[in-house]
């Protein structure tokens, strides 16, 4: 297990927290598992309490360990960028990145060149963005115009040298487009 503080991904021996910080989303994807889009969110202080528990667990596991466990937090939602305090949370993560890596799962609709540069600056490990096929299929699944927004977000992330992962949710209506989406 690598202990390089620039390590950017999950690997065995890690403690992984996938954290849904909001149910809010600006898209209504056909395959979404969200039951609602307006549930009560944790206050920022409560987010910090969860984060504190995560760090406490890491510290307790690593206290006497010869092979320290590295943590990783992947933030998602809904769409995490809809939280007004989301960037504040990323700043907190950034200040502790010697203990863990962090990443974001997003639909990409809130990532422009400035945001991509910001994400690079806070030391994000990766950003995962979903592509569901070609333009027509993707827009049918995620909403009209979302394909172009997503492709633009990916371009901004790549230009800012942010590690960018593409997610593809295979389903009956798009599984034949996997290779095209992956290219």
């Amino acid at each position: 297990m690598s202990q390089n503080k620039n390590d950017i991904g999950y690997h065995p021996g890690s403690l992984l927290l996938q954290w849904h910080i909001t149910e809010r989303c600006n898209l209504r994807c056909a395959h979404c598992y969200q039951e609602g889009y307006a549930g009560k969110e944790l206050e920022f202080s409560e987010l910090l309490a969860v984060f504190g528990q995560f760090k406490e667990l890491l510290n307790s596991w690593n206290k006497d360990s010869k092979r320290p466990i590295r943590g990783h937090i992947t933030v998602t939602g809904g769409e995490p960028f809809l939280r007004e305090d989301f960037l504040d949370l990323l700043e907190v993560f950034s200040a502790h990145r010697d203990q863990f890596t962090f990443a974001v799962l997003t639909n990409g609709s809130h990532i422009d060149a400035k945001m991509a540069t910001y994400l690079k600056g806070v030391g994000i490990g990766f950003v995962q963005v979903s592509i569901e096929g070609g333009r027509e299929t993707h827009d049918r699944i995620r909403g009209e115009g979302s394909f172009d927004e997503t492709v633009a977000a990916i371009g901004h992330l790549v230009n800012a040298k942010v590690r960018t992962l593409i997610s593809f949710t295979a389903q009956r209506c798009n599984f034949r487009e996997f290779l095209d989406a992956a290219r």
Side-chain angles (χ1 to χ4, degrees):
M1 177 172 69
S2 170
Q3 289 302 299
N4 180 341
K5 74 177 185 177
N6 295 320
D7 200 350
I8 57 174
Y10 170 81
H11 42 82
S14 292
L15 175 61
L16 171 64
L17 171 62
Q18 181 161 316
W19 196 354
H20 292 243
I21 62 168
T22 185
E23 291 182 0
R24 287 185 287 157
C25 190
N26 54 317
L27 300 181
R28 298 295 182 263
C29 303
H31 61 276
C32 186
Y33 55 83
Q34 292 275 128
E35 292 181 16
Y37 295 95
K40 181 161 172 35
E41 296 176 342
L42 295 177
E43 299 291 330
F44 191 72
S45 62
E46 294 170 312
L47 293 179
L48 293 178
V50 171
F51 176 66
Q53 291 176 52
F54 180 78
K55 285 188 351 178
E56 184 179 323
L57 181 58
L58 271 176
N59 291 336
S60 70
W61 284 1
N62 288 330
K63 184 177 178 184
D64 298 317
S65 176
K66 293 179 182 166
R67 295 190 67 205
I69 293 172
R70 185 129 167 96
H72 177 82
I73 299 173
T74 300
V75 183
T76 186
E79 174 52 52
F81 284 95
L82 291 178
R83 278 194 68 125
E84 295 77 17
D85 55 9
F86 179 52
L87 300 185
D88 297 329
L89 186 62
L90 293 183
E91 293 288 338
V92 171
F93 294 169
S94 181
H96 295 88
R97 62 186 175 197
D98 60 323
Q99 295 177 283
F100 60 87
T101 56
F102 61 100
V104 175
L105 276 59
T106 176
N107 62 38
S109 61
H110 290 82
I111 298 177
D112 57 13
K114 182 178 177 182
M115 182 57 67
T117 300
Y118 169 82
L119 293 170
K120 178 67 174 180
V122 294
I124 198 157
F126 65 86
V127 175
Q128 181 177 313
V129 184
S130 298
I131 293 282
E132 307 301 351
R135 176 179 281 107
E136 183 180 321
T137 301
H138 180 92
D139 282 358
R140 186 173 58 250
I141 292 171
R142 291 191 167 261
E144 192 67 34
S146 64
F147 180 85
D148 291 335
E149 281 185 334
T150 302
V151 169
I154 292 167
H156 295 310
L157 292 164
V158 169
N159 288 340
K161 298 185 179 8
V162 173
R163 183 173 181 214
T164 307
L165 306 179
I166 306 299
S167 175
F168 179 86
T169 304
Q171 48 195 305
R172 183 170 302 282
C173 67
N174 73 343
F175 73 94
R176 291 181 180 89
E177 296 183 43
F178 176 69
L179 290 179
D180 292 333
R183 292 182 187 152

